[in-house]
Amino acid sequence: MSQTIDSEGADSTQNNNSQRQLSEMMDAGRSFSGNERNCCFLNIGNGTFADISGISGLNYPDDGRAISTTDWDNDGDLDLWISNRNGPRLRLMRNDNNNKNYFISFRLKGNGISSNKDAIGARIEITPNGKKGNPTLIQTVRAGQGFLSQSSKCVHFGLGPETEKIDMKIRWPDGSIDSFQKIVTNKRYLIDQRNPKPEEVHPRNGKIELSSSAAQRNSPKDTARVPAITLFKAPNFTFQTKDGKRIILPKENPLLINLWATWCAPCIKELGDLSNNEELLRKSGIDVIALNVDQLSNSGIDPKRISDVLQKVKFPFLARNATESMINLLQRLHDQIIGLNEPLPIPSSFLIDPDGNLSVIYKGPLELDQLIADKDHSAGTLNERIIRSAQIKGTTIKHPKSMQRSMAHEASIHSRHGRNWLMAENMEGSIYHYNIAHKLNPQSERISS
């Protein structure tokens, strides 16, 4: 897999081509090393390990990527920060083991001359005092221990229940050695190579704001609500009203485009729900159009069969037959938002905002209360749409660098789709996306060019 481009002046041609090929493979349904649950192995002491993933508390249906360890809550045991490719993107697994075991933790500082200041590569050996036969424990200060992660540079040792003092030896990166005896455990120490004497470090003051909560597990559903984070311009549709007037949708109101078929029982029930809630929908300012897809697969179907269904449910909104070009446009819009480019199911619905942007896709029957709540989804900032679109409640990182990166990523999406529209010889769509990309990231020379 290609390397990430980290600087504006770097040659991104090879990277862009590789990313494009990877995206095309994913959109076509190919595997992207997905569904990689975190595994947990127990050292059973004879040179082998036992897989205890199922009972570890870490066996979530996550597509795991990185794990880092640190004593986050300062209670003497290591907690885990886990990042995932899917949501939740970040988990804190707090270790609340209430055993009586001891611990000791060291932060080393090199002299900055013959050893690096972070003491990367230093080796610590400790021997617990007390009972004979206690094993010597060894750890090394590392700069990185896994993919996309950096654990704390504090070297943490978990000890037994009766280990009140330890002896230790440090082999610094330059090969020099310092030794210490009878260091009291259940404490944290800083040791500076320039003045090698263990100095106790007290834990930070203040209450940690993150509190524990029950892990959320979403059960598989036959329906899907897909809110848009990136706003893509939806096509305009031209229809004729019963009195022969020409109407172009969407207009000034949110528009719900509903795809249905006479052979689809959930579709007919959904049409009935829309009919029964006409007053609520009109009061909420939502226009509705139902597009029947029967004639796309069966050109010989009797049109009366379609009209009979609409009359039976007393459908009060605009209803027309879908054309192949309409479905192709909606499928293209779906494929821009959703990674796996699967054919649209029936029923499906598209909520278009008053500015003509795709706001939400509903695959399967929609819920009326959710539709009403979604009518203003596309309004607001990018950060607000990210929060509203998350399947699990949470917050976003508001650090300026993170927000700048988020805007740059959004700009790259619009830039890519501007290029796609240009290749499809749709100059209007290409200009639309390139303009948004430039507004989001005006410093990018690649977008400006």
Side-chain angles (χ1 to χ4, degrees):
M1 191 169 177
S2 59
Q3 298 294 312
T4 300
I5 297 299
D6 293 324
S7 61
E8 188 73 31
D11 182 9
S12 62
T13 304
Q14 183 177 357
N15 178 267
N16 290 337
N17 289 337
S18 299
Q19 292 292 341
R20 177 180 55 78
Q21 292 169 3
L22 179 60
S23 297
E24 291 174 353
M25 291 171 60
M26 292 174 62
D27 291 343
R30 300 274 293 277
S31 172
F32 179 41
S33 187
N35 300 317
E36 293 186 9
R37 294 193 177 200
N38 291 307
C39 298
C40 185
F41 297 91
L42 176 67
N43 185 348
I44 58 179
N46 61 358
T48 61
F49 292 81
D51 186 346
I52 60 168
S53 303
I55 62 173
S56 66
L58 303 174
N59 190 31
Y60 294 103
D62 298 340
D63 190 7
R65 284 298 177 269
I67 295 178
S68 62
T69 60
T70 185
D71 185 5
W72 182 257
D73 52 2
N74 297 309
D75 65 350
D77 53 36
L78 290 178
D79 309 297
L80 299 178
W81 282 99
I82 300 175
S83 68
N84 303 304
R85 192 178 68 88
N86 59 352
R89 300 300 298 273
L90 195 63
R91 289 188 189 270
L92 169 61
M93 305 302 296
R94 197 177 68 195
N95 185 354
D96 287 341
N97 194 334
N98 293 320
N99 60 37
K100 304 299 182 180
N101 291 342
Y102 287 67
F103 80 97
I104 194 166
S105 178
F106 299 99
R107 177 67 185 269
L108 303 185
K109 184 176 181 181
N111 58 27
I113 301 173
S114 58
S115 296
N116 62 86
K117 288 187 176 181
D118 287 322
I120 303 300
R123 175 172 165 151
I124 302 176
E125 299 181 14
I126 70 168
T127 303
N129 296 157
K131 293 182 179 180
K132 292 183 178 181
N134 284 335
T136 296
L137 304 177
I138 303 173
Q139 290 197 53
T140 301
V141 182
R142 300 177 183 273
Q145 293 178 294
F147 180 63
L148 295 177
S149 62
Q150 166 65 61
S151 295
S152 170
K153 283 180 284 190
C154 293
V155 181
H156 183 103
F157 290 90
L159 306 172
E162 299 178 359
T163 312
E164 297 182 358
K165 295 182 179 181
I166 60 102
D167 297 334
M168 72 172 296
K169 180 171 67 175
I170 303 174
R171 184 183 297 273
W172 295 95
D174 61 6
S176 61
I177 297 176
D178 288 311
S179 299
F180 309 92
Q181 286 73 43
K182 296 183 179 181
I183 301 177
V184 178
T185 59
N186 274 358
K187 295 184 177 182
R188 301 165 180 82
Y189 296 93
L190 171 65
I191 303 178
D192 191 329
Q193 186 181 10
R194 296 172 298 180
N195 182 22
K197 178 182 178 181
E199 296 181 6
E200 185 178 353
V201 177
H202 298 284
R204 62 177 180 263
N205 296 323
K207 183 180 178 181
I208 297 176
E209 296 183 2
L210 290 176
S211 57
S212 61
S213 60
Q216 301 180 43
R217 296 175 182 264
N218 293 331
S219 302
K221 295 182 179 180
D222 294 330
T223 61
R225 168 183 169 270
V226 187
I229 296 176
T230 302
L231 299 180
F232 293 111
K233 186 69 71 176
N236 291 326
F237 295 102
T238 303
F239 303 96
Q240 280 192 339
T241 60
K242 292 182 179 179
D243 55 5
K245 293 183 179 179
R246 185 168 172 265
I247 182 173
I248 299 177
L249 295 176
K251 296 191 291 184
E252 64 273 7
N253 292 332
L255 171 67
L256 181 74
I257 302 175
N258 176 256
L259 305 181
W260 70 284
T262 57
W263 46 262
C264 169
C267 297
I268 297 175
K269 181 182 182 304
E270 186 174 49
L271 291 176
D273 292 340
L274 293 171
S275 300
N276 296 334
N277 289 274
E278 176 190 7
E279 183 178 353
L280 176 61
L281 289 168
R282 295 196 187 281
K283 184 178 179 181
S284 300
I286 299 177
D287 295 331
V288 179
I289 180 170
L291 298 180
N292 180 270
V293 300
D294 283 7
Q295 294 183 342
L296 297 179
S297 57
N298 183 6
S299 58
I301 190 171
D302 186 357
K304 187 175 183 302
R305 182 178 175 181
I306 300 172
S307 61
D308 286 347
V309 171
L310 295 172
Q311 291 175 7
K312 185 177 180 179
V313 300
K314 299 179 181 179
F315 192 71
F317 303 103
L318 189 64
R320 293 291 185 270
N321 291 329
T323 65
E324 187 172 349
S325 61
M326 290 179 186
I327 298 301
N328 288 340
L329 286 171
L330 292 174
Q331 180 72 58
R332 183 184 181 92
L333 203 57
H334 165 278
D335 294 348
Q336 287 180 313
I337 296 293
I338 300 174
L340 293 179
N341 298 166
E342 299 290 341
L344 287 169
I346 301 297
S348 285
S349 299
F350 294 75
L351 181 61
I352 313 298
D353 73 10
D355 294 325
N357 299 312
L358 173 62
S359 182
V360 185
I361 298 176
Y362 306 93
K363 302 173 78 168
L366 57 80
E367 298 179 3
L368 264 297
D369 291 342
Q370 184 65 65
L371 172 63
I372 301 300
D374 284 340
K375 72 184 185 72
D376 296 320
H377 166 72
S378 61
T381 64
L382 172 63
N383 193 62
E384 290 170 343
R385 290 198 301 276
I386 291 174
I387 293 175
R388 286 197 293 264
S389 300
Q391 297 299 306
I392 298 174
K393 291 183 178 180
T395 60
T396 58
I397 300 173
K398 295 183 174 61
H399 189 279
K401 287 289 186 181
S402 175
M403 298 177 71
Q404 181 184 10
R405 189 67 177 169
S406 180
M407 298 294 282
H409 175 70
E410 182 77 353
S412 71
I413 294 175
H414 279 285
S415 177
R416 184 172 72 248
H417 285 285
R419 185 169 59 254
N420 290 342
W421 281 111
L422 184 62
M423 293 174 64
E425 298 182 353
N426 186 315
M427 188 60 67
E428 182 179 355
S430 178
I431 292 174
Y432 168 79
H433 284 292
Y434 273 125
N435 279 338
I436 293 181
H438 181 68
K439 290 178 182 179
L440 290 168
N441 191 10
Q443 287 79 29
S444 173
E445 294 180 3
R446 184 165 58 87
I447 294 176
S448 299
S449 61

